[in-house]
mmCIF file of all heavy atoms in Angstrom:
data_model
loop_
_atom_site.group_PDB
_atom_site.id
_atom_site.type_symbol
_atom_site.label_atom_id
_atom_site.label_comp_id
_atom_site.label_asym_id
_atom_site.label_seq_id
_atom_site.Cartn_x
_atom_site.Cartn_y
_atom_site.Cartn_z
ATOM 1 N N ARG E 264 200.067 -19.354 64.536
ATOM 2 C CA ARG E 264 199.206 -18.749 65.553
ATOM 3 C C ARG E 264 199.915 -18.618 66.855
ATOM 4 O O ARG E 264 199.944 -17.547 67.445
ATOM 5 C CB ARG E 264 197.954 -19.586 65.762
ATOM 6 C CG ARG E 264 197.032 -19.147 66.925
ATOM 7 C CD ARG E 264 196.197 -20.272 67.473
ATOM 8 N NE ARG E 264 195.583 -19.916 68.739
ATOM 9 C CZ ARG E 264 196.134 -20.150 69.924
ATOM 10 N NH1 ARG E 264 197.267 -20.813 70.021
ATOM 11 N NH2 ARG E 264 195.499 -19.804 70.991
ATOM 12 N N ASN E 265 200.521 -19.663 67.329
ATOM 13 C CA ASN E 265 201.248 -19.638 68.644
ATOM 14 C C ASN E 265 202.414 -18.617 68.567
ATOM 15 O O ASN E 265 202.630 -17.900 69.536
ATOM 16 C CB ASN E 265 201.793 -21.051 69.010
ATOM 17 C CG ASN E 265 200.722 -21.959 69.267
ATOM 18 O OD1 ASN E 265 199.619 -21.588 69.576
ATOM 19 N ND2 ASN E 265 201.005 -23.279 69.165
ATOM 20 N N ASP E 266 203.055 -18.594 67.419
ATOM 21 C CA ASP E 266 204.206 -17.727 67.260
ATOM 22 C C ASP E 266 203.735 -16.252 67.308
ATOM 23 O O ASP E 266 204.344 -15.414 67.968
ATOM 24 C CB ASP E 266 204.812 -18.042 65.903
ATOM 25 C CG ASP E 266 206.327 -18.018 65.988
ATOM 26 O OD1 ASP E 266 206.910 -18.547 66.967
ATOM 27 O OD2 ASP E 266 206.957 -17.392 65.157
ATOM 28 N N LEU E 267 202.635 -16.043 66.545
ATOM 29 C CA LEU E 267 202.127 -14.649 66.485
ATOM 30 C C LEU E 267 201.654 -14.137 67.838
ATOM 31 O O LEU E 267 201.878 -12.988 68.209
ATOM 32 C CB LEU E 267 200.990 -14.576 65.439
ATOM 33 C CG LEU E 267 201.421 -14.407 63.987
ATOM 34 C CD1 LEU E 267 200.225 -14.412 63.108
ATOM 35 C CD2 LEU E 267 202.227 -13.192 63.781
ATOM 36 N N ILE E 268 200.966 -15.044 68.583
ATOM 37 C CA ILE E 268 200.455 -14.615 69.842
ATOM 38 C C ILE E 268 201.582 -14.186 70.793
ATOM 39 O O ILE E 268 201.508 -13.173 71.442
ATOM 40 C CB ILE E 268 199.665 -15.777 70.548
ATOM 41 C CG1 ILE E 268 198.292 -15.918 69.794
ATOM 42 C CG2 ILE E 268 199.385 -15.462 72.014
ATOM 43 C CD1 ILE E 268 197.438 -17.066 70.232
ATOM 44 N N SER E 269 202.707 -14.932 70.778
ATOM 45 C CA SER E 269 203.821 -14.514 71.660
ATOM 46 C C SER E 269 204.503 -13.323 71.072
ATOM 47 O O SER E 269 204.966 -12.458 71.881
ATOM 48 C CB SER E 269 204.779 -15.700 71.917
ATOM 49 O OG SER E 269 205.199 -16.233 70.726
ATOM 50 N N THR E 270 204.620 -13.157 69.771
ATOM 51 C CA THR E 270 205.235 -11.943 69.168
ATOM 52 C C THR E 270 204.433 -10.772 69.560
ATOM 53 O O THR E 270 205.000 -9.689 69.916
ATOM 54 C CB THR E 270 205.343 -12.131 67.660
ATOM 55 O OG1 THR E 270 205.929 -13.372 67.350
ATOM 56 C CG2 THR E 270 206.201 -10.971 67.109
ATOM 57 N N LEU E 271 203.066 -10.809 69.431
ATOM 58 C CA LEU E 271 202.261 -9.687 69.643
ATOM 59 C C LEU E 271 202.292 -9.168 71.079
ATOM 60 O O LEU E 271 201.828 -8.064 71.340
ATOM 61 C CB LEU E 271 200.806 -9.953 69.264
ATOM 62 C CG LEU E 271 200.549 -10.101 67.746
ATOM 63 C CD1 LEU E 271 199.116 -10.513 67.451
ATOM 64 C CD2 LEU E 271 200.818 -8.774 67.021
ATOM 65 N N GLN E 272 202.831 -9.967 71.991
ATOM 66 C CA GLN E 272 202.922 -9.531 73.353
ATOM 67 C C GLN E 272 204.238 -8.857 73.686
ATOM 68 O O GLN E 272 204.469 -8.412 74.804
ATOM 69 C CB GLN E 272 202.765 -10.716 74.363
ATOM 70 C CG GLN E 272 201.292 -11.234 74.382
ATOM 71 C CD GLN E 272 201.205 -12.542 75.132
ATOM 72 O OE1 GLN E 272 202.204 -13.193 75.400
ATOM 73 N NE2 GLN E 272 200.014 -12.908 75.458
ATOM 74 N N GLN E 273 205.079 -8.775 72.663
ATOM 75 C CA GLN E 273 206.460 -8.242 72.924
ATOM 76 C C GLN E 273 206.434 -6.668 72.886
ATOM 77 O O GLN E 273 205.606 -6.022 72.257
ATOM 78 C CB GLN E 273 207.428 -8.797 71.980
ATOM 79 C CG GLN E 273 207.706 -10.258 72.326
ATOM 80 C CD GLN E 273 208.804 -10.871 71.570
ATOM 81 O OE1 GLN E 273 209.514 -10.181 70.854
ATOM 82 N NE2 GLN E 273 208.934 -12.148 71.695
ATOM 83 N N ASP E 274 207.523 -6.144 73.427
ATOM 84 C CA ASP E 274 207.611 -4.691 73.642
ATOM 85 C C ASP E 274 207.604 -3.907 72.288
ATOM 86 O O ASP E 274 207.013 -2.884 72.262
ATOM 87 C CB ASP E 274 208.881 -4.328 74.399
ATOM 88 C CG ASP E 274 208.808 -4.773 75.839
ATOM 89 O OD1 ASP E 274 207.641 -5.118 76.275
ATOM 90 O OD2 ASP E 274 209.827 -4.928 76.566
ATOM 91 N N PHE E 275 208.289 -4.470 71.272
ATOM 92 C CA PHE E 275 208.357 -3.695 70.044
ATOM 93 C C PHE E 275 207.048 -3.527 69.416
ATOM 94 O O PHE E 275 206.818 -2.570 68.634
ATOM 95 C CB PHE E 275 209.472 -4.211 69.125
ATOM 96 C CG PHE E 275 209.107 -5.591 68.419
ATOM 97 C CD1 PHE E 275 208.491 -5.527 67.202
ATOM 98 C CD2 PHE E 275 209.381 -6.746 68.996
ATOM 99 C CE1 PHE E 275 208.222 -6.751 66.540
ATOM 100 C CE2 PHE E 275 209.089 -7.929 68.367
ATOM 101 C CZ PHE E 275 208.499 -7.973 67.150
ATOM 102 N N ILE E 276 206.091 -4.472 69.666
ATOM 103 C CA ILE E 276 204.750 -4.337 69.119
ATOM 104 C C ILE E 276 203.993 -3.259 69.894
ATOM 105 O O ILE E 276 203.290 -2.390 69.321
ATOM 106 C CB ILE E 276 203.999 -5.700 69.241
ATOM 107 C CG1 ILE E 276 204.731 -6.746 68.409
ATOM 108 C CG2 ILE E 276 202.558 -5.506 68.814
ATOM 109 C CD1 ILE E 276 204.660 -6.560 66.909
ATOM 110 N N THR E 277 204.134 -3.243 71.228
ATOM 111 C CA THR E 277 203.515 -2.200 72.025
ATOM 112 C C THR E 277 204.033 -0.815 71.548
ATOM 113 O O THR E 277 203.234 0.153 71.475
ATOM 114 C CB THR E 277 203.890 -2.460 73.531
ATOM 115 O OG1 THR E 277 203.825 -3.761 73.847
ATOM 116 C CG2 THR E 277 202.921 -1.662 74.450
ATOM 117 N N MET E 278 205.350 -0.797 71.324
ATOM 118 C CA MET E 278 205.975 0.422 70.867
ATOM 119 C C MET E 278 205.310 0.851 69.502
ATOM 120 O O MET E 278 204.929 2.045 69.394
ATOM 121 C CB MET E 278 207.451 0.138 70.648
ATOM 122 C CG MET E 278 208.244 1.226 69.897
ATOM 123 S SD MET E 278 208.455 2.581 70.952
ATOM 124 C CE MET E 278 209.194 3.767 69.796
ATOM 125 N N ALA E 279 205.176 -0.062 68.589
ATOM 126 C CA ALA E 279 204.612 0.221 67.279
ATOM 127 C C ALA E 279 203.169 0.738 67.458
ATOM 128 O O ALA E 279 202.716 1.676 66.766
ATOM 129 C CB ALA E 279 204.653 -0.933 66.418
ATOM 130 N N ARG E 280 202.482 0.057 68.356
ATOM 131 C CA ARG E 280 201.100 0.495 68.634
ATOM 132 C C ARG E 280 200.996 1.903 69.146
ATOM 133 O O ARG E 280 200.194 2.689 68.753
ATOM 134 C CB ARG E 280 200.428 -0.422 69.694
ATOM 135 C CG ARG E 280 199.687 -1.547 68.985
ATOM 136 C CD ARG E 280 198.527 -2.163 69.763
ATOM 137 N NE ARG E 280 198.199 -3.338 69.040
ATOM 138 C CZ ARG E 280 198.462 -4.517 69.478
ATOM 139 N NH1 ARG E 280 199.004 -4.712 70.637
ATOM 140 N NH2 ARG E 280 198.195 -5.603 68.668
ATOM 141 N N SER E 281 201.896 2.219 70.135
ATOM 142 C CA SER E 281 201.873 3.557 70.711
ATOM 143 C C SER E 281 202.305 4.638 69.737
ATOM 144 O O SER E 281 201.932 5.797 69.925
ATOM 145 C CB SER E 281 202.782 3.600 71.997
ATOM 146 O OG SER E 281 204.072 3.260 71.623
#
Side-chain angles (χ1 to χ4, degrees):
Chain E
R264 174 204 169 263
N265 294 338
D266 222 46
L267 279 178
I268 288 176
S269 51
T270 308
L271 287 175
Q272 288 171 346
Q273 287 187 12
D274 291 344
F275 72 94
I276 298 289
T277 321
M278 171 72 188
R280 265 207 191 108
S281 60

